[in-house]
Amino acid sequence: MAAASDPVELGAPWGPARPEPPPTRFHPVHGANIRVDPSGTRATRVESFAHGVCFSREPLAPGQVFLVEIEEKELGWCGHLRLGLTALDPASLAAVPEFSLPDLVSLGHTWVFAITRHHNRVPREGRPEAEALAPSCPPALLVEPHLCIEQFRIPRDRLVGRSRPGLYSHLLDQLYELNMLPPTARRSRLGVLFCPRPDGTADMHIVINGEDMGPSARGLPAAQPLYAVVDVFASTKSVRLVQVEYGLPSLQTLCRLVIQRSVVHRLAIDGLHLPKGLKDFCKYE
């Protein structure tokens, strides 16, 4: 079970003193309308618009991102995915609430927000509210390979959504990189994490396509296990987990980056003399 740790210096590498978190999976306890695939990485709401609450299988480690990609949308519903953290053990719930908001939150020790771009930020004490609402600088998304959130430094590559391979995917991918699409668009990537503070509390941050939206909640109990909450609500029908690389990028990832930068668009990867598995990885990841 993960527990809060002492703050890590900005840029400190994952290693023996700071073990890389295990792969994320969905908890077997979830809403009545959710079906989780055998791998534990895909959650789909099979009917209605509610009873779609999911949890992480394990508590998150400090700085670990629980990252989901929106795979399917369903027309006809009003509302979108909701995301947050809870100190409640999912296995201890008598029944999973129908909604994360307000039902799960009303049980206490839970912080969940509907996904919007700027309205969930809270200012620090003594700082103006306008500072909390100010957007990040979009150009930095294209030049900075790491996302720095308080004391944590996270490779940005896996945090950003990607369009489906096509003739114009190289143009659409830039919209994800600049975070110019609606935050709950199909194939957007949304993450939640917590950052411990010296006073024993933690800040919760929500990340949209590689951009930190700022602290969404403060005063979380950093010493208690904190589980991710994903509510596959209304127009959001299916999500899949995306694994984040925290240390040095894998050889597979380095190969993908080099190959993607060497072609005009991802469909051109099909014409390269490469193993099919590597070509699929370069096209879809």
Side-chain angles (χ1 to χ4, degrees):
M1 181 175 288
S5 63
D6 293 332
V8 180
E9 289 186 18
L10 186 66
W14 298 86
R18 185 187 175 195
E20 188 164 331
T24 54
R25 296 289 186 269
F26 285 113
H27 202 286
V29 173
H30 49 69
N33 288 335
I34 286 293
R35 300 294 180 268
V36 176
D37 76 338
S39 71
T41 61
R42 182 175 279 99
T44 303
R45 194 186 68 252
V46 295
E47 60 179 291
S48 184
F49 64 94
H51 288 290
V53 177
C54 304
F55 305 94
S56 59
R57 188 171 67 187
E58 301 290 342
L60 300 186
Q64 180 183 13
V65 184
F66 194 81
L67 184 68
V68 298
E69 179 178 282
I70 297 177
E71 282 212 316
E72 293 183 54
K73 306 273 288 187
E74 187 171 50
L75 299 177
W77 302 115
C78 181
H80 303 280
L81 178 138
R82 295 159 174 186
L83 194 62
L85 296 170
T86 183
L88 302 175
D89 184 345
S92 69
L93 296 175
V96 177
E98 182 177 6
F99 303 103
S100 60
L101 285 171
D103 300 4
L104 182 64
V105 172
S106 69
L107 298 179
H109 304 288
T110 301
W111 304 263
V112 175
F113 294 89
I115 293 297
T116 62
R117 196 176 299 281
H118 300 301
H119 295 87
N120 293 334
R121 301 179 182 181
V122 292
R124 296 191 186 279
E125 290 185 16
R127 297 189 182 182
E129 184 175 355
E131 178 182 311
L133 300 176
S136 331
C137 181
L141 297 177
L142 295 178
V143 298
E144 174 54 55
H146 290 86
L147 176 64
C148 296
I149 302 179
E150 298 193 16
Q151 68 268 48
F152 297 102
R153 187 169 181 263
I154 305 162
R156 192 188 299 274
D157 176 62
R158 303 302 298 273
L159 303 178
V160 181
R162 294 178 177 87
S163 65
R164 295 187 181 278
L167 291 175
Y168 303 105
S169 59
H170 59 298
L171 301 177
L172 293 173
D173 286 348
Q174 292 181 19
L175 300 180
Y176 288 101
E177 291 170 1
L178 289 168
N179 207 3
M180 296 177 68
L181 295 173
T184 54
R186 184 180 281 107
R187 298 182 72 82
S188 279
R189 294 184 179 181
L190 312 166
V192 63
L193 70 154
F194 72 93
C195 302
R197 300 188 59 77
D199 63 0
T201 66
D203 294 346
M204 183 180 84
H205 288 250
I206 289 175
V207 177
I208 300 176
N209 286 319
E211 183 180 2
D212 174 27
M213 295 293 102
S216 297
R218 298 189 189 280
L220 279 68
Q224 295 184 32
L226 294 171
Y227 295 82
V229 179
V230 179
D231 192 350
V232 187
F233 175 69
S235 63
T236 303
K237 183 175 179 62
S238 181
V239 298
R240 76 174 181 98
L241 288 172
V242 179
Q243 305 305 325
V244 178
E245 294 179 338
Y246 295 91
L248 294 174
S250 66
L251 179 59
Q252 191 178 40
T253 295
L254 292 173
C255 288
R256 174 176 60 77
L257 293 174
V258 170
I259 292 168
Q260 288 177 343
R261 291 168 184 166
S262 302
V263 296
V264 176
H265 53 73
R266 279 180 280 152
L267 284 183
I269 293 172
D270 286 330
L272 301 178
H273 297 290
L274 297 171
K276 183 180 183 302
L278 180 56
K279 289 196 285 189
D280 288 345
F281 181 73
C282 293
K283 284 169 60 180
Y284 296 106
E285 290 298 322

